[in-house]
Protein backbone atom coordinates (compact mmCIF):
# COMPACT_ATOMS: atom_id res chain seq x y z
CA UNK A 1 0.00 0.00 0.00
CA UNK A 2 2.80 2.39 0.95
CA UNK A 3 4.67 1.47 -2.21
CA UNK A 4 1.62 2.22 -4.41
CA UNK A 5 1.21 5.68 -2.80
CA UNK A 6 4.90 6.44 -3.36
CA UNK A 7 4.68 5.39 -7.03
CA UNK A 8 1.64 7.62 -7.47
CA UNK A 9 3.45 10.65 -5.98
CA UNK A 10 6.60 10.00 -8.05
CA UNK A 11 4.45 9.66 -11.19
CA UNK A 12 2.63 12.94 -10.43
CA UNK A 13 5.96 14.67 -9.79
CA UNK A 14 7.33 13.44 -13.14
CA UNK A 15 4.25 14.71 -14.98
CA UNK A 16 4.59 18.09 -13.23
CA UNK A 17 8.32 18.32 -14.04
CA UNK A 18 7.70 17.34 -17.69
CA UNK A 19 5.02 20.00 -18.03
CA UNK A 20 7.26 22.59 -16.38
CA UNK A 21 10.14 21.79 -18.79
CA UNK A 22 7.74 21.89 -21.76
CA UNK A 23 6.44 25.31 -20.78
CA UNK A 24 10.01 26.54 -20.33
CA UNK A 25 10.99 25.33 -23.81
CA UNK A 26 7.96 26.96 -25.41
CA UNK A 27 8.58 30.24 -23.57
CA UNK A 28 12.26 30.13 -24.50
CA UNK A 29 11.44 29.65 -28.17
CA UNK A 30 8.72 32.32 -28.17
CA UNK A 31 11.13 34.81 -26.57
CA UNK A 32 13.47 34.33 -29.55
CA UNK A 33 10.75 35.22 -32.10
CA UNK A 34 10.23 38.96 -32.48
CA UNK A 35 6.61 39.97 -32.14
CA UNK A 36 6.83 42.00 -35.36
CA UNK A 37 9.95 41.21 -37.43
CA UNK A 38 8.64 43.58 -40.11
CA UNK A 39 7.52 47.13 -39.36
CA UNK A 40 5.61 49.02 -42.05
CA UNK A 41 5.28 52.74 -42.71
CA UNK A 42 3.51 54.76 -45.41
CA UNK A 43 3.89 58.22 -46.88
CA UNK A 44 2.32 60.05 -49.80
CA UNK A 45 4.42 61.74 -52.45
CA UNK A 46 2.24 64.58 -53.67
CA UNK A 47 2.58 67.10 -56.54
CA UNK A 48 3.77 70.65 -55.82
CA UNK A 49 0.23 71.97 -56.20
CA UNK A 50 -3.00 71.06 -54.36
CA UNK A 51 -4.18 67.56 -55.21
CA UNK A 52 -7.25 67.57 -57.49
CA UNK A 53 -9.87 64.97 -58.42
CA UNK A 54 -8.63 62.79 -61.28
CA UNK A 55 -4.97 63.48 -60.45
CA UNK A 56 -2.28 60.89 -59.76
CA UNK A 57 0.15 60.72 -56.84
CA UNK A 58 2.28 58.01 -55.24
CA UNK A 59 2.29 56.08 -51.99
CA UNK A 60 5.61 54.84 -50.64
CA UNK A 61 5.33 51.79 -48.40
CA UNK A 62 8.47 50.90 -46.48
CA UNK A 63 9.05 47.56 -44.77
CA UNK A 64 11.82 47.58 -42.17
CA UNK A 65 12.94 43.99 -41.76
CA UNK A 66 14.75 42.79 -38.64
CA UNK A 67 18.11 41.12 -39.10
CA UNK A 68 17.81 37.40 -39.76
CA UNK A 69 14.35 37.74 -41.34
CA UNK A 70 13.19 38.32 -44.90
CA UNK A 71 10.06 39.53 -46.66
CA UNK A 72 8.92 37.77 -49.79
CA UNK A 73 8.55 39.78 -53.00
CA UNK A 74 5.42 40.50 -55.03
CA UNK A 75 6.12 37.49 -57.29
CA UNK A 76 6.65 33.91 -56.08
CA UNK A 77 6.63 30.51 -57.70
CA UNK A 78 3.90 28.00 -56.96
CA UNK A 79 4.28 25.90 -53.84
CA UNK A 80 6.39 28.49 -52.08
CA UNK A 81 5.77 31.27 -49.59
CA UNK A 82 2.90 33.71 -49.69
CA UNK A 83 3.95 36.65 -51.88
CA UNK A 84 3.53 40.21 -50.65
CA UNK A 85 0.21 41.71 -51.83
CA UNK A 86 -0.67 45.40 -51.69
CA UNK A 87 -4.36 46.14 -52.23
CA UNK A 88 -6.42 49.29 -51.95
CA UNK A 89 -9.93 48.94 -50.47
CA UNK A 90 -12.58 49.92 -53.00
CA UNK A 91 -14.68 51.95 -50.53
CA UNK A 92 -12.54 55.09 -50.83
CA UNK A 93 -12.12 57.89 -53.40
CA UNK A 94 -8.74 56.49 -54.50
CA UNK A 95 -7.62 53.62 -56.68
CA UNK A 96 -4.40 52.05 -57.84
CA UNK A 97 -3.48 53.50 -61.24
CA UNK A 98 -0.63 51.29 -62.43
CA UNK A 99 1.91 48.66 -61.53
CA UNK A 100 3.60 48.68 -58.14
CA UNK A 101 7.31 49.46 -58.35
CA UNK A 102 9.94 47.95 -56.04
CA UNK A 103 13.67 47.27 -55.97
CA UNK A 104 14.94 44.06 -57.48
CA UNK A 105 14.58 41.30 -54.85
CA UNK A 106 17.26 38.76 -54.02
CA UNK A 107 16.76 35.26 -55.39
CA UNK A 108 18.05 32.25 -53.49
CA UNK A 109 17.23 28.71 -52.43
CA UNK A 110 14.92 28.91 -49.42
CA UNK A 111 15.43 26.09 -46.91
CA UNK A 112 11.88 26.53 -45.60
CA UNK A 113 10.33 25.64 -48.98
CA UNK A 114 13.25 23.89 -50.70
CA UNK A 115 12.90 26.05 -53.81
CA UNK A 116 14.10 29.36 -55.24
CA UNK A 117 12.30 32.35 -53.74
CA UNK A 118 12.49 36.11 -54.21
CA UNK A 119 12.82 38.17 -51.05
CA UNK A 120 14.07 41.34 -49.38
CA UNK A 121 16.33 41.78 -46.36
CA UNK A 122 16.87 44.89 -44.24
CA UNK A 123 14.39 47.13 -46.02
CA UNK A 124 11.97 47.02 -48.93
CA UNK A 125 10.25 50.02 -50.52
CA UNK A 126 7.15 49.68 -52.67
CA UNK A 127 5.84 52.61 -54.74
CA UNK A 128 2.13 52.49 -55.53
CA UNK A 129 0.66 54.85 -58.16
CA UNK A 130 -2.70 56.18 -56.96
CA UNK A 131 -5.38 58.18 -58.74
CA UNK A 132 -7.91 60.41 -56.99
CA UNK A 133 -11.48 59.60 -58.09
CA UNK A 134 -13.07 62.32 -60.26
CA UNK A 135 -15.96 62.56 -57.77
CA UNK A 136 -13.69 62.74 -54.69
CA UNK A 137 -14.94 65.27 -52.13
CA UNK A 138 -12.76 68.25 -51.31
CA UNK A 139 -10.96 68.24 -47.97
CA UNK A 140 -8.89 65.81 -45.96
CA UNK A 141 -9.22 62.14 -46.75
CA UNK A 142 -7.31 59.04 -45.69
CA UNK A 143 -5.79 56.84 -48.39
CA UNK A 144 -5.83 53.24 -47.15
CA UNK A 145 -3.93 50.15 -48.28
CA UNK A 146 -3.88 46.58 -47.01
CA UNK A 147 -0.57 44.71 -47.15
CA UNK A 148 -0.60 40.91 -46.89
CA UNK A 149 2.78 39.26 -46.47
CA UNK A 150 4.75 36.39 -45.04
CA UNK A 151 8.10 36.58 -43.29
CA UNK A 152 10.61 33.85 -42.55
CA UNK A 153 14.04 33.35 -41.03
CA UNK A 154 16.29 30.50 -42.13
CA UNK A 155 14.63 28.20 -39.57
CA UNK A 156 11.09 29.48 -39.13
CA UNK A 157 8.20 30.96 -41.10
CA UNK A 158 5.51 33.02 -39.44
CA UNK A 159 1.94 32.68 -40.71
CA UNK A 160 0.86 35.17 -43.41
CA UNK A 161 -0.36 38.45 -41.96
CA UNK A 162 -2.23 41.54 -43.15
CA UNK A 163 -1.53 45.08 -41.95
CA UNK A 164 -3.68 48.11 -42.70
CA UNK A 165 -1.89 51.37 -43.47
CA UNK A 166 -3.22 54.83 -44.16
CA UNK A 167 -2.07 58.37 -44.79
CA UNK A 168 -4.06 61.59 -44.94
CA UNK A 169 -4.10 63.75 -48.07
CA UNK A 170 -5.88 67.01 -48.83
CA UNK A 171 -8.01 67.22 -51.98
CA UNK A 172 -8.68 70.66 -53.43
CA UNK A 173 -11.59 71.68 -55.68
Amino acid sequence: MLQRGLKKRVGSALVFISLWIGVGVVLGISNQIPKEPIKWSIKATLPDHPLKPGEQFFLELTARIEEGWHLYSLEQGEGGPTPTRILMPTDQPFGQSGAIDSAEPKTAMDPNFNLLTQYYEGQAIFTVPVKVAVNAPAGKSEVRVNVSFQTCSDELCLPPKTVKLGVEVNIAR
Side-chain angles (χ1 to χ4, degrees):
M1 186 78 145
L2 181 62
Q3 194 174 17
R4 196 179 317 166
L6 182 60
K7 281 184 181 179
K8 195 173 186 181
R9 277 186 256 165
V10 169
S12 296
L14 288 175
V15 168
F16 177 77
I17 290 170
S18 296
L19 286 172
W20 187 255
I21 290 171
V23 167
V25 168
V26 168
L27 289 175
I29 290 171
S30 69
N31 284 337
Q32 295 173 5
I33 300 171
K35 291 194 184 332
E36 298 293 333
I38 298 183
K39 293 183 179 47
W40 289 90
S41 62
I42 184 172
K43 75 175 187 178
T45 303
L46 302 169
D48 292 337
H49 56 275
L51 195 57
K52 296 179 182 145
E55 194 165 16
Q56 180 174 294
F57 65 99
F58 296 91
L59 294 177
E60 186 177 280
L61 283 62
T62 302
R64 286 184 180 48
I65 308 160
E66 285 196 22
E67 188 174 334
W69 292 85
H70 50 266
L71 169 70
Y72 293 103
S73 70
L74 299 169
E75 302 294 325
Q76 291 299 321
E78 194 155 323
T82 300
T84 298
R85 294 283 180 249
I86 300 169
L87 301 170
M88 296 187 71
T90 57
D91 64 340
Q92 61 182 336
F94 306 99
Q96 186 175 327
S97 63
I100 297 170
D101 187 36
S102 63
E104 191 69 29
K106 293 180 179 186
T107 301
M109 180 61 74
D110 190 316
N112 297 300
F113 299 95
N114 200 29
L115 53 88
L116 285 177
T117 60
Q118 296 181 354
Y119 61 92
Y120 299 99
E121 293 178 319
Q123 177 174 287
I125 298 173
F126 301 92
T127 303
V128 182
V130 178
K131 189 171 186 176
V132 180
V134 292
N135 62 347
K140 294 183 185 221
S141 188
E142 184 181 41
V143 186
R144 295 174 284 121
V145 294
N146 298 331
V147 182
S148 298
F149 64 96
Q150 184 170 22
T151 184
C152 295
S153 69
D154 286 340
E155 298 98 28
L156 176 70
C157 286
L158 298 180
K161 182 176 186 172
T162 299
V163 296
K164 296 177 183 219
L165 304 170
V167 63
E168 196 172 84
V169 297
N170 195 17
I171 303 169
R173 271 286 171 200

